[in-house]
Amino acid sequence: MENKRYERTNRLAEAPEMTAREADEAFAVCVETVKRNMAYFGSTVPAAASVDGIYPKTANDDWTDGFWTGEMWLSYEETGDSAFKREALASVADFERRMKERVVVDHHDMGFLFSPSCVAAWRLLKREGAMEEEQHESVMNDAAIEQAKRTALAAADNLMGRFQEKGGFFQAWGTAGDPKEYRLIIDCLLNMPLLFWASEVTGNPIYREKAECHIRTAMAHVVRDDYSTYHTYYFDPETGAPVKGITQQGNRNGSIWARGQAWGIYGSALSYGYFHDPEYMRLFDGVTACFMENLPSDLIPYWDFDFNDGSPEPRDSSAAAIAACGLLEMARYVEQEKAGLLISMASKLMKALTDRCLLRDGAPGAGILLHGTYAKRSKENGVNQSGVDEFNLWGDYFYMEALMRMRKDWERYW
Ligand code: GLY
């Protein structure tokens, strides 16, 4: 364990942890919000980010829609209320339609879409069925399990079509093979568990092998020597040689985009969980320490670590929620002393998020976690600005997931 690196993360030293009661209360607030919004959104889906504090109603056609289903599954796990299950299953059916009709699926975000929706359904309903069998009840919903499985497998196959042998990675955006888009992005680490799952259910190792190849390529190039990270990395389409790292949503090519760093934390923890490769542990320790060292004193990350205490720039609360999930995931695999440290760091982040960003008793259409930033335009990134200091769906989802992880031994959707 890189104790020395963590010792330098003194931003967290004096911060209070979250109590079990606070975590229970916060989760209850989330469940109320999901319930209110299920009524508000009906068969529509919240947009990726809110506008003036309210999510617009949209169709299932963005990379973020699986998070909304995931929020419903988490609420169902907590309450056992069949209303959540009914809506989540309707959403799984809509994901099957989306996959069949190929609605905005020509990109790499199959894991973000299909893990918290369809893989979650598959895992939860199978577990429910096993328990019911023990109780000699026969209400297992085989049809729903099959639908979730074939939809998630179709998504995994779709993602496999984006693997680039030259370079050894999954191409993020654009037409597969397009030389102008021949790059990976750090976020894609979260798409890899869909492929681990696909190997598990089919018995075919190819999904897992390509995922592991991608992870190795990504880690070798997006993680800089000081464990800060690039958002995206280009390769030569002719030779597969690494070309350059640049940002898409960060402030500068050489800066640290807070959410990208958080994807690195959670992505390396999940990778370690599947492969138990010490190299992934080393990277996790490094990217985690770098994230912690760059937090402002109130622990709510600025959207890019070019900014810190005193800056008027907006925050990205979602980055802290993602990081907390990664810390809690890695805590499952390490010895007691290190697990205690990781859980304590996660708890401090969650306490800060709860005190500063959790919206209680919001209006219909409002989200859970205030102060997220989807994309902020800068001189270098040229990105379309949206969702600045707003709710975003992944912030809401990962905040709930982290609370769930703090409160029970949770079987991951990833
Ligand atoms: N995966 C896209 C984002 O984090 O904005």
Side-chain angles (χ1 to χ4, degrees), residues 63-64 108-109 112 173 185 187-188 231 249 257 259-260 263 316 318 322 373-375 394:
W63 70 275
T64 49
H108 70 150
D109 279 332
F112 281 124
W173 303 311
I185 74 172
D187 323 27
C188 191
H231 181 194
Q249 280 155 271
W257 178 47
R259 193 160 67 253
W263 293 136
D316 182 13
S318 75
I322 294 161
T373 291
Y374 186 179
W394 60 91

Short mmCIF file of all heavy atoms in Angstrom, two decimals, residues 63-64 108-109 112 173 185 187-188 231 249 257 259-260 263 316 318 322 373-375 394, ligand 1:
data_model
loop_
_atom_site.label_atom_id
_atom_site.label_comp_id
_atom_site.label_asym_id
_atom_site.label_seq_id
_atom_site.Cartn_x
_atom_site.Cartn_y
_atom_site.Cartn_z
N TRP A 63 -26.25 8.62 -23.59
CA TRP A 63 -25.38 7.65 -22.93
C TRP A 63 -25.71 7.48 -21.46
O TRP A 63 -25.18 6.60 -20.79
CB TRP A 63 -23.91 8.05 -23.08
CG TRP A 63 -23.51 9.27 -22.29
CD1 TRP A 63 -23.64 10.57 -22.67
CD2 TRP A 63 -22.90 9.31 -20.98
NE1 TRP A 63 -23.18 11.41 -21.68
CE2 TRP A 63 -22.72 10.67 -20.64
CE3 TRP A 63 -22.51 8.33 -20.06
CZ2 TRP A 63 -22.17 11.08 -19.42
CZ3 TRP A 63 -21.96 8.74 -18.84
CH2 TRP A 63 -21.79 10.10 -18.54
N THR A 64 -26.59 8.33 -20.94
CA THR A 64 -26.85 8.41 -19.50
C THR A 64 -28.10 7.66 -19.03
O THR A 64 -28.35 7.61 -17.83
CB THR A 64 -27.03 9.89 -19.12
OG1 THR A 64 -27.96 10.48 -20.04
CG2 THR A 64 -25.72 10.63 -19.20
N HIS A 108 -19.09 3.84 -27.60
CA HIS A 108 -18.57 2.81 -26.67
C HIS A 108 -19.33 2.70 -25.35
O HIS A 108 -19.01 1.82 -24.55
CB HIS A 108 -17.09 3.10 -26.38
CG HIS A 108 -16.90 4.32 -25.53
ND1 HIS A 108 -15.84 4.45 -24.66
CD2 HIS A 108 -17.63 5.46 -25.41
CE1 HIS A 108 -15.92 5.63 -24.05
NE2 HIS A 108 -17.00 6.26 -24.50
N ASP A 109 -20.30 3.56 -25.10
CA ASP A 109 -20.87 3.63 -23.75
C ASP A 109 -21.90 2.55 -23.46
O ASP A 109 -22.91 2.81 -22.78
CB ASP A 109 -21.44 5.03 -23.49
CG ASP A 109 -20.34 6.00 -23.09
OD1 ASP A 109 -19.33 5.54 -22.52
OD2 ASP A 109 -20.49 7.21 -23.36
N PHE A 112 -22.09 1.91 -19.54
CA PHE A 112 -22.85 2.92 -18.80
C PHE A 112 -24.36 2.72 -19.01
O PHE A 112 -25.15 2.92 -18.10
CB PHE A 112 -22.47 4.33 -19.28
CG PHE A 112 -21.17 4.84 -18.70
CD1 PHE A 112 -20.14 5.26 -19.54
CD2 PHE A 112 -20.98 4.92 -17.33
CE1 PHE A 112 -18.94 5.74 -19.01
CE2 PHE A 112 -19.78 5.40 -16.80
CZ PHE A 112 -18.77 5.81 -17.64
N TRP A 173 -15.65 7.18 -29.82
CA TRP A 173 -16.69 7.89 -30.56
C TRP A 173 -16.46 7.78 -32.06
O TRP A 173 -15.38 7.40 -32.51
CB TRP A 173 -16.68 9.38 -30.18
CG TRP A 173 -16.83 9.64 -28.72
CD1 TRP A 173 -17.78 9.11 -27.89
CD2 TRP A 173 -16.01 10.50 -27.89
NE1 TRP A 173 -17.62 9.59 -26.62
CE2 TRP A 173 -16.55 10.45 -26.58
CE3 TRP A 173 -14.90 11.32 -28.12
CZ2 TRP A 173 -16.01 11.18 -25.52
CZ3 TRP A 173 -14.37 12.04 -27.07
CH2 TRP A 173 -14.91 11.97 -25.78
N ILE A 185 -10.95 6.87 -24.40
CA ILE A 185 -11.10 7.87 -23.34
C ILE A 185 -11.14 7.15 -21.98
O ILE A 185 -11.56 5.99 -21.90
CB ILE A 185 -12.34 8.78 -23.54
CG1 ILE A 185 -13.65 8.07 -23.24
CG2 ILE A 185 -12.37 9.32 -24.97
CD1 ILE A 185 -14.85 9.02 -23.25
N ASP A 187 -12.98 7.34 -19.43
CA ASP A 187 -14.32 6.95 -18.97
C ASP A 187 -14.64 5.50 -19.33
O ASP A 187 -15.41 4.82 -18.65
CB ASP A 187 -15.41 7.83 -19.62
CG ASP A 187 -15.03 9.28 -19.80
OD1 ASP A 187 -13.83 9.58 -19.93
OD2 ASP A 187 -15.93 10.12 -19.84
N CYS A 188 -14.04 5.01 -20.43
CA CYS A 188 -14.39 3.69 -20.97
C CYS A 188 -14.04 2.56 -20.01
O CYS A 188 -14.54 1.44 -20.16
CB CYS A 188 -13.71 3.49 -22.32
SG CYS A 188 -14.31 2.04 -23.21
N HIS A 231 -7.72 12.89 -20.42
CA HIS A 231 -9.08 12.43 -20.68
C HIS A 231 -9.10 11.46 -21.87
O HIS A 231 -9.64 10.38 -21.79
CB HIS A 231 -10.00 13.64 -20.94
CG HIS A 231 -11.42 13.27 -21.20
ND1 HIS A 231 -12.33 14.16 -21.73
CD2 HIS A 231 -12.09 12.11 -21.02
CE1 HIS A 231 -13.50 13.55 -21.84
NE2 HIS A 231 -13.39 12.31 -21.43
N GLN A 249 -13.23 17.24 -22.25
CA GLN A 249 -14.08 17.98 -21.31
C GLN A 249 -13.30 18.66 -20.18
O GLN A 249 -13.89 19.33 -19.35
CB GLN A 249 -15.12 17.03 -20.70
CG GLN A 249 -16.30 16.78 -21.63
CD GLN A 249 -17.00 15.45 -21.33
OE1 GLN A 249 -16.63 14.43 -21.88
NE2 GLN A 249 -17.98 15.47 -20.46
N TRP A 257 -8.84 16.71 -15.49
CA TRP A 257 -10.31 16.82 -15.47
C TRP A 257 -10.79 15.98 -14.29
O TRP A 257 -10.50 14.78 -14.20
CB TRP A 257 -10.86 16.28 -16.79
CG TRP A 257 -12.35 16.27 -16.91
CD1 TRP A 257 -13.22 17.27 -16.59
CD2 TRP A 257 -13.15 15.18 -17.42
NE1 TRP A 257 -14.52 16.87 -16.86
CE2 TRP A 257 -14.51 15.60 -17.35
CE3 TRP A 257 -12.86 13.91 -17.90
CZ2 TRP A 257 -15.56 14.78 -17.77
CZ3 TRP A 257 -13.90 13.10 -18.32
CH2 TRP A 257 -15.24 13.54 -18.26
N ARG A 259 -13.58 14.65 -13.22
CA ARG A 259 -14.37 13.43 -13.41
C ARG A 259 -13.56 12.34 -14.10
O ARG A 259 -13.71 11.15 -13.81
CB ARG A 259 -15.67 13.72 -14.17
CG ARG A 259 -16.64 12.57 -14.10
CD ARG A 259 -18.07 12.94 -14.40
NE ARG A 259 -18.34 13.34 -15.74
CZ ARG A 259 -18.60 14.57 -16.14
NH1 ARG A 259 -18.61 15.57 -15.27
NH2 ARG A 259 -18.86 14.85 -17.40
N GLY A 260 -12.67 12.74 -14.99
CA GLY A 260 -11.80 11.75 -15.62
C GLY A 260 -10.95 11.04 -14.58
O GLY A 260 -10.78 9.81 -14.61
N TRP A 263 -13.12 8.62 -12.85
CA TRP A 263 -13.33 7.39 -13.66
C TRP A 263 -12.11 6.48 -13.51
O TRP A 263 -12.22 5.25 -13.49
CB TRP A 263 -13.56 7.70 -15.13
CG TRP A 263 -14.82 8.42 -15.52
CD1 TRP A 263 -14.92 9.47 -16.41
CD2 TRP A 263 -16.18 8.14 -15.11
NE1 TRP A 263 -16.24 9.87 -16.55
CE2 TRP A 263 -17.03 9.06 -15.78
CE3 TRP A 263 -16.75 7.21 -14.25
CZ2 TRP A 263 -18.42 9.08 -15.59
CZ3 TRP A 263 -18.14 7.22 -14.06
CH2 TRP A 263 -18.95 8.14 -14.73
N ASP A 316 -17.71 19.91 -9.63
CA ASP A 316 -18.37 18.72 -10.19
C ASP A 316 -18.54 17.69 -9.06
O ASP A 316 -17.67 16.84 -8.84
CB ASP A 316 -17.59 18.12 -11.36
CG ASP A 316 -18.33 16.91 -11.94
OD1 ASP A 316 -19.52 16.73 -11.58
OD2 ASP A 316 -17.74 16.15 -12.72
N SER A 318 -20.33 15.17 -8.99
CA SER A 318 -20.40 13.78 -9.46
C SER A 318 -19.03 13.10 -9.37
O SER A 318 -18.95 11.89 -9.14
CB SER A 318 -20.96 13.69 -10.88
OG SER A 318 -20.01 14.10 -11.84
N ILE A 322 -18.40 9.38 -7.73
CA ILE A 322 -17.76 8.28 -8.48
C ILE A 322 -16.54 7.78 -7.72
O ILE A 322 -16.31 6.57 -7.57
CB ILE A 322 -17.35 8.77 -9.90
CG1 ILE A 322 -18.59 9.12 -10.73
CG2 ILE A 322 -16.48 7.73 -10.61
CD1 ILE A 322 -18.30 10.02 -11.93
N THR A 373 -21.09 19.26 -12.89
CA THR A 373 -20.78 19.94 -14.16
C THR A 373 -20.57 18.88 -15.23
O THR A 373 -19.69 18.02 -15.12
CB THR A 373 -19.52 20.81 -14.02
OG1 THR A 373 -19.84 21.92 -13.17
CG2 THR A 373 -19.07 21.36 -15.38
N TYR A 374 -21.40 18.93 -16.27
CA TYR A 374 -21.30 17.98 -17.38
C TYR A 374 -20.14 18.39 -18.28
O TYR A 374 -19.16 17.66 -18.42
CB TYR A 374 -22.63 17.97 -18.14
CG TYR A 374 -22.75 16.93 -19.23
CD1 TYR A 374 -23.93 16.83 -19.96
CD2 TYR A 374 -21.71 16.06 -19.55
CE1 TYR A 374 -24.08 15.86 -20.96
CE2 TYR A 374 -21.85 15.10 -20.56
CZ TYR A 374 -23.03 15.02 -21.26
OH TYR A 374 -23.17 14.08 -22.25
N ALA A 375 -20.22 19.58 -18.87
CA ALA A 375 -19.16 20.03 -19.78
C ALA A 375 -19.06 21.55 -19.71
O ALA A 375 -20.05 22.24 -19.98
CB ALA A 375 -19.48 19.59 -21.19
N TRP A 394 -25.65 10.80 -13.69
CA TRP A 394 -24.64 9.89 -13.12
C TRP A 394 -24.25 10.35 -11.71
O TRP A 394 -23.94 9.51 -10.87
CB TRP A 394 -23.43 9.74 -14.04
CG TRP A 394 -22.73 11.03 -14.31
CD1 TRP A 394 -21.69 11.58 -13.61
CD2 TRP A 394 -23.05 11.97 -15.35
NE1 TRP A 394 -21.35 12.80 -14.15
CE2 TRP A 394 -22.16 13.05 -15.21
CE3 TRP A 394 -23.99 12.00 -16.38
CZ2 TRP A 394 -22.19 14.16 -16.06
CZ3 TRP A 394 -24.03 13.11 -17.24
CH2 TRP A 394 -23.13 14.16 -17.06
N1 GLY B 1 -18.60 9.70 -19.82
C1 GLY B 1 -18.87 11.03 -20.16
C2 GLY B 1 -18.70 11.97 -19.06
O1 GLY B 1 -18.22 11.63 -17.98
O2 GLY B 1 -19.07 13.13 -19.26
#
